[in-house]
Structure formats: C-alpha cells, structure tokens
Amino acid sequence: MPASRPAAPERATGPAPVATGVVRRRIVVRGTVQGVGFRPFVHALAHELGLSGHVSNGADGVVTEVEGDAGRVGAFAERLTTDAPPLSAVTSVVQHDLPAVGGRGFTIRPSRQGRGRTTVPPDTALCAACLHELTDPGNRRHRHPFINCTHCGPRFTIVTGLPYDRATTTMAGFALCGPCAAEYADPGDRRFHAQPVACPGCGPRLRLTEGPATWEASDAPARARELLARGAVLAVKGLGGYHLACDAGDASAVARLRAAKERGGKPFAVMAADLATARAVAPLGEAEARLLAGPRAPAVLVRREAGFVPGVRLADAVCPGSPDIALMLPYTPLHRLLFALPGDPPGPRVLVMTSANRSGEPIVTDDAEAAALPAPLADARLWHDRPIHAPCDDSVVRVRRDGSLLPVRRSRGYVPEPVPLPFAVPPALAVGGDLKNTFCLAVGRSAWLSQHIGDLDGTATVAAFGGAVRHLSALTGVRPRLLAADRHPRYRSAAWAREHAAGRPLHLVQHHHAHIASAMADAGLDGTAPVIGVAFDGTGYGDDGAVWGGEVLLADYDGYRRLAHLAYVPLPGGDAAVRNPCRTALSHLRAARLAWDADLPCVAACAADELRVLDRQLERGVACVPTSSMGRLFDAVSSLLGVRHRAGHEAQAAVELEACAAPAIARCGRPYAFASRAAGDGGPLLLDPAPVLREAVADLRDGAGPAVVAARFHHAVAAAVLAVCRDARRDTGVRTVALSGGVFANALLEDACTDLLRGDGFAVVRHGRVPCGDGGLALGQVLIAARARARGAGTGQREGETHVPGSARQGRRH
C-alpha cells in the first residue's frame, strides 16, 4: 500500500493567464494537505519565487491567493504538485484568476471555517530528524516522549474537527511555551505550523504508575524498562490506544499475559528495538524491512523459514502454531525510550505489543479505564495526559513473493487515507460486517474506510463503531444519503444501520458479492465487464439461508450468479462447530461416507459422549445449518490431521494447517482432486471434497505425515479453483478472476491459485489496498448499493434485490 499521490491530479482552471505581466490567482489544493506541512511549503515556495499573497487552511483544502509575474505564478501552481511535502497526497488543484491588488510579502492566515471536504493524514512514525533530536543530549527535546514535526507524529488520532489546527486537536489544552511558539511561527523551522508541537516545558506529561507510586519524566521509561526486565506486564499508552507489553522472550510473562487477556492461541505482535534486532528474530526481506522502517510502520507478517536460526528467541507462547511472526519497530518516541537510548541500562530487546483490552472488547483509550485494568492484565501503567480522540489499532500487512502488499488489517498509518473509486457514487455509508469490522464512507470518486473496529460482539464495540462513524463523518464531510449493510438477519452492523436509517434507503448486500466487488474496486475495475469471483471465507449469509463460504460467482457491481460452490455439509451446532473443528471434521467424514474410526485424530479428540450426541444430531438434522464454507473445510482437515481440534480464536485451525503445510508445499507430490457434479435442478456446479478426504485418510494411514497431507490439500483446493474457472471461461468468455474472502489471507493458497490461473492465461485480481477478509467488505457494499440505487431509481426495486450481470444473462457461450 504505497502512498497514494496521483501522478496527474485533476485540475479545473480559469482563463489562461498571459505569459508576461502581473497576475493574481486563487488556488485551492485538495487532498491530504492539512497536517503535513503544506502551508509552510506554500509559504517557502512563494518566497523563493518572489510572489506576494497569503495561504490558509479551509474546510475543503488549502486555499492560496498568489500574485506576481505570470511565469512565476504558473511555476508556483505547477510545483504545488511536483514538489509537495512527502506526507501529502494532492487530489485536485483548482485555479481561478483574480484582479491584481498589489501588496508585498506572503503570509499564513488563520484557518477559514465552513463546510467542505479535505483529508487529515494518518498518524506517522517518528522521522529521522526528530529521532536525532531525541537522542542528542544537547537538544532541548532530548528524551522528550512527544517529539514531532510536520513530517511525523499523531494526526488522525488527535484531530477533533476541521480545519486542522491546534484548536481542533487534543493538543488544544497545552499552551505553547516561548521557544515552541517561536518555532511554530518561524517559516524556516521544521515545526512551522506543526499542530502537535511541544517540548518538556509545555507538552504532555509522561508518568509511570505502579500501585500508589508514580515516576515522572525521564524516570518513567527507566522504571518501565526495569519492570519489563523483571517479567512485569505494562499498559503503555500509544498513539491510538493502550498496548499491553511484556518481554517477548520471557515465557512466564507471555503466558501470564495470554491467560489474563483470554486470547486463546491467537498470535501476539512483537516490537523489536531496531531493524537489526528484527532481522535476528525472523528472516526479513528488503521490502519487509522498508515497510517496518517506513512512515506507516505497520506490523508486518514475516514468514518463518526452515533453517533460519534466530539470534533473538521468542517465547513459544508468543505466536504458537502460526506460520508467521507479526513484527513492528518502535514508531513513537515513547517506544524508542522504552527500548533505551545509548548509555541507558538495557532492557528487553523484543516486546509483545498487543491491544489493551479483553477479547471481544474495543481497545482502551481512556486513562481512567486503563487505570482500572486489573492486576492480571497490567502490573503498572506508562501513560500521559494527551487525550486520544480516535481509537486506532496497529495495521497488519503481508509482503507477497512478488513484492506486492496484502493488507490484513488496515488501520494506523493508513486511515483516513482515501481509496479511489472506479466510478462516482452518491454520499453513502456502508457498515461492513460483524467480524473484523470496518465501515466505509464514500462520495464521488473517493471512499474512506474506517480504522479497524473489531468484532461487534457486544454493546461496547457497537458504541465504539457509532463513535467512529461520527468522527470520520466530521472529518470527511460526507453526509450519507444511502446506507448499505450485509444481508445477515442477525448482524449487529445491519441492525445499527436500520436503527439509524432515518428514512434513508438501506440496501442489503450479499456477503460474498461484496467481497468480489471489494476486490474489483481495489484493482480499479469499473464493472463494465464481469469477473469470475472466487469468494472463500468462513461465514456469509446465503440467498437460500445456508451458510455460504466456498463460492464461485460471475459478478459485477450490478449483480452476480452463483456458478459453483462447495457441496453443503451440516454444521452441527452452528458456532459451536466453529469453536470445535473436530465436530466439523466428523460432519465432513459423515458426508463423505467415511467411518468414525478411532485411529483418526478428529475422532480420538472427542469423548464417547460427545461422539454419541454428534451422531444423533447429524442423523436427525437437529441444529444443523447447511454450509458451503471453505473456511470450515480447512478447519475440518486441520482436525483430521491432528493439528487443531478446539479453536480459541477465529481461523486458528486453518492458520495452523497452513503452518503445517508450509514445509512440504513445494515437495508434496500429487495433489488430491475434488469431484464435481451438476446440481439436479440445473443450479450451480457442486464441488465435492469427499474424494479429497478419502485420499487424505488413506495417506495418513500409510504414514505420509500431516505436512504432506496438508500440502496436498492446499494444492487440491487450488486445482479445483482452476478447473471451475476454466469451465466458467468456456461458458461465458470471461478471463478475469478475482480472489477475495478471508481464506485468501492464507499465502500458500493464494500463491497456488494465482500461479495456476496465470499459467492458464487468466488475469488475476487480488487485494492490495484493503483487506481480503471482512475488513474490506464495506468497500464492496458501498459500490453495489450505489449501482443498485442508480439502477432502481423510480423502478420500485426492493431492498437488497440481486441483478444478474450482463454476461450471466446470456447463458452458455461456446
């Protein structure tokens, strides 16, 4: 996800100026142009070119009036784009000629109030210049935990309104001291109009609270390092919320944190002191290293490699069973102090950094709430008095083999950067799904996806969702006239949309159609031609009331037709089966007519009473929802191979199956093969995993080993995808395949599908800006709803009605 600065911003110009003489021009620059040093840049540029006038922040961008020689004014306008500050992203430059008025000098005027639209930049990691000052004993900001400038520091998480000025941030309560005020007012200073600017004399205060005792200023991080080295768990206030931190090499501390957080086996992210330490933890590629050290500073999923000998070892409980390690570098000055500066007593070199909340609750941002965290969660608290206005978790990304990025969670460092849309939409809000929730505001050709909200499991997370909607609406100026939500009848996100519709139309969008539309939009496809959409995930409400999740669709933004899907099997107990992959495995064995023999790991994992209950439940169909979920099939195979029988978090069994398969993926020999059969009613093709399961059981009994069987299973799924897409190409002529859904966060599967499809002449569309899982769902929802709204105006179209894409209506094409 590189910085999204368009090569050629849209321009609307007034009459062309004459080549010579004095002219005056009003120029409005829109995009990410507030909070990035744009006004200081404009000021310096005007002085360099000898132009007079003024610049100010407005509600819809940076507004400049500039006067002088026509050639110099033209050069000024051009360089607003070509020489813009590194954190800016210019989307349009609108120019109008004005009568010349004379005057001397160029000034920065107070911000203009009013309604409009601009973009606040994301929070940005500590820059090199500020890091140098932080570590320089001769600098007045030496060891200052809140050092920042126009090129780095908090933005999205502290801004309370627009225009972006100190008064509309959570820094409003900190009056500038004399030296800081002088820097803020000096056009030649790096902190000229840097809104969060502060120093030890006038900025926020850092404290460490341990029971009744408090350490302040430089004593606080020193005490924190000492506690971490002793095995303590600390609550640390970051940019977008509190983290819980402990020594990642201390098995006892990690185990205690895992138990207190009720996290099950879900992997922890870890923060390494520096790039050299990160390289000693996991085998970093150059693209991964650049991401870690870059201004966005996400957590990067680094694949474990056989034969890599770590120089810094993590406790086994940091990321048990995961094929990846989620690595971060210190991205705030406080984090840098936590790892010690030169000359400090050393502390741990790698820390667990996980959000400070119990499972299913929103990240903690409030100081009083953090102070009330019970002792099992935090032994002490490293905090400060700068309020966090917008909660924002860390982003998580993966670098693919070809160097492209797959966002797994898009949040800090990326939000609220807009995503370009392939066509214009009316003001709209799509509320996403209930898992890994993000929502999307959109208007025109721009969409703003929210930060990661999390799973909408309870009232606290739903309340956080509502607060985030209000905040992002205020920043973007989008006043939705159209709402979109998932069709699931019990989703809390859809219930929120219905409750807040206030007479506005609400379009209900099928889950997997939204996934494919999200992938299309991510790739910039305008929908004039349909795609073959492969949507693999764990759960999605189907048109027939079943749980879908192994879907192949012919789709565009207007509609879809179900071409093929994984054959239905009963999901015994619904969510209970999700938490118990062994039960899903038994259901798949029963559907494949395979006996529940005691030598199979999934059978041995169940007690006799559990087996009896499941047998009766499946025989009678009691509380058994049919599912076509590919995610559940991965769970079933995981348990069949003895990898994971009980899941402590979503996708745990599937993730551990991927880790099991990784060592053998390139040398596993022949893959298994799905059977396919036409539905009796002329409906979609059915993909039957029964032959795959039979061969897997035979290989297990022949001693092939779980890694080989898991690898062959991965290749079997990829081969089935290719076979179905070939049939679809033959019948429709469509040669573009879009891969979406949470199952494609599995790097082995995504790579295998991509290789086979491209090798057979398909164009393959994959996610690169938004997550393939439910974190990208809202982007697809907003585009489908916009097209439905345009198509259904005056036609009486019912809510959520599905339209079949043009190529699908044409029938078979030979």
Side-chain angles (χ1 to χ4, degrees), residues 502-519:
R504 295 172 291 183
L506 170 62
H507 286 269
L508 300 179
V509 180
Q510 201 282 323
H511 190 91
H512 301 95
H513 186 202
H515 271 309
I516 300 306
S518 175

Side-chain angles (χ1 to χ4, degrees), residues 796-807:
Q797 177 193 352
R798 71 175 177 86
E799 183 176 86
E801 184 175 346
T802 298
H803 285 248
V804 179
S807 293

Side-chain angles (χ1 to χ4, degrees), residues 69 116 142 400 617 646 763 811:
D69 174 78
H142 180 229
R400 295 186 177 101
Q617 191 173 9
R646 315 288 179 181

Side-chain angles (χ1 to χ4, degrees), residues 464-485:
F465 171 91
V469 170
R470 290 188 294 273
H471 181 239
L472 192 57
S473 297
L475 295 189
T476 61
V478 176
R479 303 292 182 264
R481 298 199 300 266
L482 171 66
L483 302 181

